[in-house]
Amino acid sequence: MKFKYVRIQGREKAVNTNWGKGIFSMCMQMIQDEVMDEEDRDLFLEIDKWFSEILPYPPQCKNQEKVICYFKTENTEEMMKLINPAMWLLERYNHPYYVVYTNFPGEIVYEDEFQVVVKVDDNEVIEDLQPSWSPKDE
């Protein structure tokens, strides 16, 4: 199966979206909390600088609206080479993260060549526990 979008996010949720923080937020939080050593901090800041120069900064993100971002998989080969060191930093400092692939990110409110920005839906669906389909013990 081929996926259109990918997002790297953490377990910790952002207060404005109630979704897992993205990789840039997680790494920046570790810098602000002085978790990273100087060499690793400098590495992340170089990664962040490259992305800032290449990727347009969506206005919804600047305004800290209730949105999350996904990379487009069709254009991410070079970006993923540069995001891999940031993922390595998360692993180095034992910071859990998930790589989420999807074809249905939600309502797209911004799009450019490399990324989409998706409006966070406040209507979280919580369903009742369905009957178990696992075999019964004999």
Side-chain angles (χ1 to χ4, degrees):
M1 176 173 261
K2 188 170 181 173
F3 293 100
K4 295 179 186 177
Y5 308 104
V6 61
R7 174 177 168 78
I8 299 125
Q9 66 184 39
R11 287 184 189 166
E12 64 274 31
K13 292 184 176 184
V15 70
N16 64 327
T17 64
N18 201 31
W19 276 73
K21 284 184 162 187
I23 189 165
F24 292 98
S25 293
M26 288 185 289
C27 288
M28 192 56 73
Q29 188 68 56
M30 288 194 304
I31 289 172
Q32 291 170 348
D33 292 345
E34 298 181 351
V35 171
M36 287 188 193
D37 66 31
E38 186 176 346
E39 185 178 342
D40 291 340
R41 181 197 70 213
D42 292 345
L43 170 62
F44 176 73
L45 293 176
E46 280 298 314
I47 295 166
D48 188 54
K49 180 181 176 193
W50 184 89
F51 276 89
S52 296
E53 290 171 358
I54 301 302
L55 290 179
Y57 204 88
Q60 296 86 351
C61 297
K62 285 183 184 178
N63 298 333
Q64 295 186 322
E65 295 177 22
K66 293 177 94 169
V67 295
I68 58 173
C69 303
Y70 289 85
F71 292 126
K72 292 180 175 180
T73 57
E74 66 190 36
N75 297 330
T76 58
E77 188 174 329
E78 185 176 2
M79 286 188 297
M80 289 308 285
K81 285 180 188 173
L82 289 161
I83 207 73
N84 280 335
M87 293 166 65
W88 175 81
L89 287 170
L90 293 174
E91 290 180 22
R92 177 175 166 89
Y93 292 96
N94 297 311
H95 193 104
Y97 66 92
Y98 305 98
V99 180
V100 179
Y101 287 92
T102 187
N103 287 327
F104 304 100
E107 180 185 343
I108 297 172
V109 295
Y110 174 90
E111 183 171 0
D112 61 42
E113 184 180 355
F114 301 104
Q115 63 188 334
V116 293
V117 176
V118 177
K119 185 177 179 181
V120 172
D121 187 357
D122 288 330
N123 299 320
E124 185 176 19
V125 176
I126 300 174
E127 296 183 348
D128 286 336
L129 187 63
Q130 66 192 71
S132 175
W133 60 90
S134 62
K136 297 205 184 299
D137 291 334
E138 306 259 345

